[in-house]
Amino acid sequence: MTATGQHAPELRAAARHLGRRRFLTGTGAAAALAFATNLPTAGVAGAAELDAARVAADPFTLGVASGDPQPSSVLLWTRLAPSPYEENGGLPARRVTVHWELAHDARFRRVARRGTAVAHPEFNHAVHVQVDHLDEGRVYYYRFRTGRWTSETGRTRTAPSAYGRVGSLTLAAVSCQAYHDGYFTALKHLAEDDVDVVFHLGDYLYEYAVNAAGGARKYTDRVLPDVFNRETLTLDDYRRRYALYKSDPDLRAAHAAHPFVVTWDDHETENNYADDIPENDVPPEEFLLRRASAYRAYWENQPLRRPQRPSGPDMRLYRRLGWGRLAQFDILDTRQYRSDQAYGDGAHVPGPETLDPKRTITGATQERWLIDGWRRSRALWNVVPQQVTFSQRKFDLNPVAKVSMDAWDGYVASRNRVLAGAKAAGVDNLMVLTGDVHVGYAFDIKADFDDPSSRTVGTEIVATSVASGKDGAEKPANWDTYMRANPHLKFYNGRRGYVTVRLGREEARADFKTVAAVTTPGAPLRVAASFRTAAGEPGLHPA
């Protein structure tokens, strides 16, 4: 790595020499990534152990988190970083023993499980603890300790039994938290909300430069280091950027309050990338080194289980979770396997390329996995948390309107195959959860979007951004055009916030919750709109 954060010339040369085919093999990926980051190529290195008593400052500055709740298991996370903005979080390249506890109560009088884990320097002293053999459908509290330091207490829960008849579930969906665009006030409110699980739908961080004043936050009480005032390219860049984001108290509070289920979009790596194709004119092999760094840092900093641990530039993030017989969640990855965007990655009228059946937004393997999972599903609600707008979204009132080439509108054959798969599998209550677009939408999913009278086959709930786009507006300038051009669009709001969805046996209810400003802290939360959809009768109605 050079002083400016660029990959070294010899690294770029090595990437071109390896080529994509060889790079994507296990040996090639590991060797290239090791060369890029000075990491060991096989397993975890046997670094010497650091005496935890010598950790002189609080190492739990980045908080705690839990994720991917299962019926008898939870995943607990923390990362040791006494000086989070420094390289390696201010710790030497030695392993550190961390003690953890999981209890039935917040005072830890009834401890259910306890143990130790090792924070390895090769993984930036991140800790991922999978705690098994727990009671189903229970709330637990957890904390970590090393040396004389104890973390804050987190609250998590296990999922109900796979065969349990669950009465209800309340989830929250969030996305797009550009640090430089404003405060994470929505997450402060989310931490106080009564939800069972949070789905983060992508753009957890942004690769763009953050200046000394924190961009739109306009800090006067602190000065951010110059290391953030450049685009993220290297592993160290991405690691430090996660440290910046996780230093935000509202983000830490939300993680401590609820288990998260995370998936990425583009900005965790680079804007609008598609598989191995970068946004800018960079050789694919070199971009894959950047992708490998971004994916590794993502795993290190998220409450993800071992199957999600990346191998070089590859990481299987799509996965399936259940909530008794009430809900099945099929979490998608629409970045890593997609075909390049048609006609560029902006707005364009549909054409032969958007209709090409060979093009895909999910990749063939993930598409089959999704549809096969629906065939086996016994859940009342089949929910698909994913990244980009699924429903048709016309941008103008022209006879042939422009649509987004980066969303499912740019991959019409993919969408048609998925909807056909849902129909063939007998999915009666399809719900898609979406992020990306920095506004809140509520869509009826139509069997034929070009025919407003066609059958409604599901619901799409789009969560607005946490901060991206700054304060936004209740009615953006294009509000009237969008509502007229898209009769299946039932709601459109441009403020920041999040959405909660209560899934019940009889109906689902979505509440769009917004704040008036994020460029100044402390804005109150309000419910901008609420909608319901009855089980077995797809279609949104004001609640």
Side-chain angles (χ1 to χ4, degrees):
M1 181 183 70
T2 68
T4 60
Q6 298 288 332
H7 292 301
E10 61 270 20
L11 174 57
R12 296 197 298 270
R16 288 192 295 271
H17 176 71
L18 283 168
R20 173 165 170 77
R21 289 176 62 87
R22 186 177 166 201
F23 188 86
L24 287 179
T25 67
T27 302
L33 184 59
F35 182 45
T37 62
N38 295 319
L39 292 172
T41 58
V44 174
E49 184 167 5
L50 176 68
D51 180 0
R54 297 182 62 187
V55 179
D58 181 9
F60 298 109
T61 58
L62 305 182
V64 300
S66 67
D68 283 18
Q70 295 182 4
S72 61
S73 172
V74 295
L75 191 287
L76 309 179
W77 173 94
T78 193
R79 182 159 78 81
L80 307 183
S83 298
Y85 299 165
E86 294 181 10
E87 187 174 4
N88 299 321
L91 285 174
R94 296 186 179 185
R95 68 183 188 273
V96 182
T97 297
V98 178
H99 300 264
W100 58 266
E101 289 181 300
L102 188 83
H104 294 286
D105 64 298
R107 295 187 178 183
F108 292 84
R109 290 174 175 170
R110 297 173 57 225
V111 174
R113 295 282 187 277
R114 57 165 52 98
T116 61
V118 177
H120 291 280
E122 295 83 5
F123 296 108
N124 212 208
H125 293 103
V127 175
H128 296 75
V129 176
Q130 180 173 311
V131 187
D132 297 316
H133 310 297
L134 300 175
D135 295 334
E136 299 163 339
R138 289 288 301 270
V139 170
Y140 289 95
Y141 298 86
Y142 64 97
R143 64 187 178 186
F144 298 90
R145 178 175 54 82
T146 190
R148 62 188 177 92
W149 304 101
T150 302
S151 74
E152 62 192 290
T153 296
R155 179 181 181 273
T156 190
R157 66 179 305 132
T158 53
S161 164
Y163 304 102
R165 184 175 173 82
V166 181
S168 66
L169 156 72
T170 301
L171 64 88
V174 298
S175 70
C176 302
Q177 50 195 42
Y179 186 98
H180 58 278
D181 272 358
Y183 291 90
F184 295 166
T185 306
L187 297 181
K188 176 182 183 296
H189 293 294
L190 175 58
E192 299 165 354
D193 212 334
D194 184 16
V195 302
D196 296 302
V197 62
V198 176
F199 288 86
H200 200 295
L201 304 172
D203 294 344
Y204 188 97
L205 60 69
Y206 281 69
E207 76 276 28
Y208 304 137
V210 181
N211 66 21
R217 296 185 177 212
K218 298 180 181 177
Y219 288 142
T220 58
D221 61 342
R222 74 201 73 176
V223 176
L224 297 181
D226 286 342
V227 70
F228 298 122
N229 200 14
R230 64 175 185 240
E231 185 170 345
T232 55
L233 291 173
T234 67
L235 179 59
D236 186 55
D237 289 339
Y238 287 107
R239 284 172 164 173
R240 292 197 207 218
R241 192 61 57 91
Y242 281 104
L244 174 64
Y245 276 59
K246 286 179 175 289
S247 69
D248 183 277
D250 296 331
L251 178 56
R252 291 202 310 272
H255 272 300
H258 312 296
F260 270 56
V261 177
V262 300
T263 186
W264 56 38
D265 193 15
D266 51 344
H267 288 289
E268 289 89 349
T269 301
E270 181 192 50
N271 180 57
N272 282 3
Y273 80 94
D275 191 8
D276 65 338
I277 302 169
E279 179 185 27
N280 299 311
D281 188 18
V282 176
E285 297 80 15
E286 184 176 334
F287 172 71
L288 285 172
L289 292 175
R290 178 180 183 176
R291 198 176 94 171
S293 297
Y295 285 12
R296 185 184 186 92
Y298 185 84
W299 185 81
E300 289 175 347
N301 286 280
Q302 298 290 10
L304 289 164
R305 293 174 182 266
R306 191 174 183 87
Q308 277 65 61
R309 181 171 153 181
S311 175
D314 299 312
M315 177 171 169
R316 177 167 168 168
L317 196 57
Y318 66 88
R319 60 207 188 278
R320 180 169 293 122
L321 297 172
W323 207 265
R325 297 289 291 270
L326 181 67
Q328 175 174 294
F329 297 102
D330 295 293
I331 301 103
L332 299 189
D333 173 0
T334 63
R335 279 293 156 196
Q336 189 175 179
Y337 314 105
R338 65 160 65 194
S339 307
D340 194 13
Q341 293 93 340
Y343 311 112
D345 54 15
H348 200 280
V349 295
E353 195 172 348
T354 59
L355 301 174
D356 185 349
K358 295 190 295 294
R359 298 181 68 256
T360 175
I361 195 171
T362 62
T365 300
Q366 185 179 192
E367 183 181 288
R368 287 193 301 270
W369 168 87
L370 174 63
I371 295 171
D372 288 346
W374 282 337
R375 293 192 182 108
R376 294 189 295 269
S377 175
R378 297 295 179 265
L380 177 62
W381 298 94
N382 285 278
V383 184
V384 183
Q386 55 97 52
Q387 295 76 26
V388 293
T389 305
F390 182 84
S391 300
Q392 185 181 81
R393 182 175 49 129
K394 294 181 178 179
F395 291 155
D396 56 62
L397 296 170
N398 295 326
V400 181
K402 290 182 178 179
V403 294
S404 171
M405 294 296 103
D406 190 57
W408 288 76
D409 276 335
Y411 302 81
V412 175
S414 263
R415 182 168 62 200
N416 289 345
R417 288 192 298 267
V418 166
L419 289 178
K423 181 180 179 181
V427 172
D428 294 322
N429 299 297
L430 172 65
M431 179 177 289
V432 178
L433 300 178
T434 300
D436 180 58
V437 287
H438 309 168
V439 298
Y441 291 133
F443 288 102
D444 283 347
I445 300 174
K446 307 297 287 187
D448 181 357
F449 284 107
D450 292 322
D451 179 7
S453 65
S454 70
R455 188 167 60 94
T456 298
V457 297
T459 298
E460 182 176 13
I461 303 297
V462 181
T464 187
S465 65
V466 169
S468 304
K470 301 181 182 176
D471 293 335
E474 198 81 12
K475 283 190 175 182
N478 57 14
W479 186 91
D480 184 66
T481 298
Y482 277 28
M483 297 301 291
R484 291 171 59 195
N486 302 283
H488 55 286
L489 175 58
K490 306 301 180 183
F491 172 74
Y492 175 18
N493 182 287
R495 291 293 191 194
R496 308 295 146 244
Y498 63 96
V499 63
T500 59
V501 179
R502 183 182 184 276
L503 300 175
R505 304 301 305 180
E506 304 297 326
E507 67 174 25
R509 176 190 173 108
D511 292 302
F512 291 87
K513 302 180 179 182
T514 62
V515 295
V518 294
T519 52
T520 55
L525 189 73
R526 65 179 288 264
V527 178
S530 299
F531 292 87
R532 54 172 291 274
T533 180
E537 300 176 16
L540 289 163
H541 305 279

